[in-house]
Amino acid sequence: MKETGTTRQWMQRMTRRKFFATAGAAAAAVTTGAPLAEADNHLERLDESDPTAKALSYVHDARTVDAAKRFSDRFCNNCALFAGDADDEWAGCSIFPGKAVANEGWCSVWAQKQDS
Ligand code: SF4
């Protein structure tokens, strides 16, 4: 996706503190080459109103996110931090310990999977 003026404006609004907090967590998981959370179908589902979820713009349905904020091909199921298989409906995520995130969810920490 080509960066648009709106995307640039959104990125500028992201606070430095938030950026480093989320980037640090994502980098830790990505450098290990594996999600830090375990896949577990018994985890409690993350509530979109959870303060951390809200701060990171997490939603169960990524398609509801403003196109200026999210690349259209990014979902939890193809994020490096998603602890489940690509077809698991819900799975753990190291950004939200003890909670399960939706397969087609998304948050602003989304991280590219490393080739293995
Ligand atoms: Fe976790 Fe989904 Fe955010 Fe990736 S996009 S960090 S799997 S909530």
Side-chain angles (χ1 to χ4, degrees), residues 58 75-76 79 81-82 93 95-96 101 106-107 109-111:
Y58 172 82
F75 296 91
C76 290
C79 171
L81 307 180
F82 189 67
C93 166
I95 299 299
F96 302 104
V101 297
W106 175 88
C107 85
V109 181
W110 185 95

Side-chain angles (χ1 to χ4, degrees), residues 27-97:
V30 171
T31 55
T32 62
L36 299 176
E38 296 294 322
D40 185 344
N41 294 332
H42 303 293
L43 291 173
E44 181 182 345
R45 294 180 179 182
L46 177 63
D47 189 327
E48 290 180 348
S49 65
D50 173 279
T52 305
K54 288 179 77 169
L56 300 177
S57 304
Y58 172 82
V59 291
H60 297 319
D61 183 356
R63 292 179 182 87
T64 63
V65 177
D66 185 330
K69 288 179 68 176
R70 168 188 164 266
F71 290 94
S72 62
D73 61 348
R74 293 182 178 183
F75 296 91
C76 290
N77 66 32
N78 61 15
C79 171
L81 307 180
F82 189 67
D85 293 329
D87 60 350
D88 286 343
E89 204 171 322
W90 295 84
C93 166
S94 54
I95 299 299
F96 302 104

